[in-house]
Amino acid sequence: MSFEILFVLLRTTNNSKFMDKSGDIQEQLARFAKAMGHPTRIAILQFLAKRDTCYFGDIHEELPIAKATVSQHLKELKDAGLIQGEVEAPKVKYCINRNNWQLARMLFKDFFELGEIANKKSCCG
């Protein structure tokens, strides 16, 4: 994917920061990776990704995770832009942020295809 296409995608997502340089792309990729860097957050993302609509309820009732722990992990995922959530008393609704989910998918794909490392000879062996 060219930087021009990625620039347009980054510009149209709901990110609070406007990105137009490769350093910003690296920063966004790192933000997504950090948010996904815990097994509980992966479980939460998998749970929400299986839903066709937003989930109304307490995720700690669906996953074997303490309520306080869930809250912290939801905050991390929301801060990274991977999920959205709104308080609608007495419940909270959560869903995958579809724009950022697509962006993360494209950034990781481009990152792992960088230089087709898998097709190169090993430098260490």
Side-chain angles (χ1 to χ4, degrees), residues 39-59:
T40 299
R41 290 185 216 135
I42 295 294
I44 291 169
L45 288 170
Q46 288 174 323
F47 175 78
L48 293 175
K50 292 177 184 175
R51 306 289 173 284
D52 290 331
T53 60
C54 286
Y55 174 75
F56 286 87
D58 293 320
I59 291 177

Side-chain angles (χ1 to χ4, degrees), residues 43-90:
I44 291 169
L45 288 170
Q46 288 174 323
F47 175 78
L48 293 175
K50 292 177 184 175
R51 306 289 173 284
D52 290 331
T53 60
C54 286
Y55 174 75
F56 286 87
D58 293 320
I59 291 177
H60 76 277
E61 293 175 0
E62 300 293 329
L63 301 173
I65 306 166
K67 191 173 187 175
T69 304
V70 169
S71 294
Q72 182 59 39
H73 288 302
L74 289 169
K75 180 184 180 323
E76 293 291 328
L77 292 169
K78 191 172 178 182
D79 288 349
L82 290 169
I83 66 169
Q84 302 172 153
E86 297 177 16
V87 175
E88 292 185 9

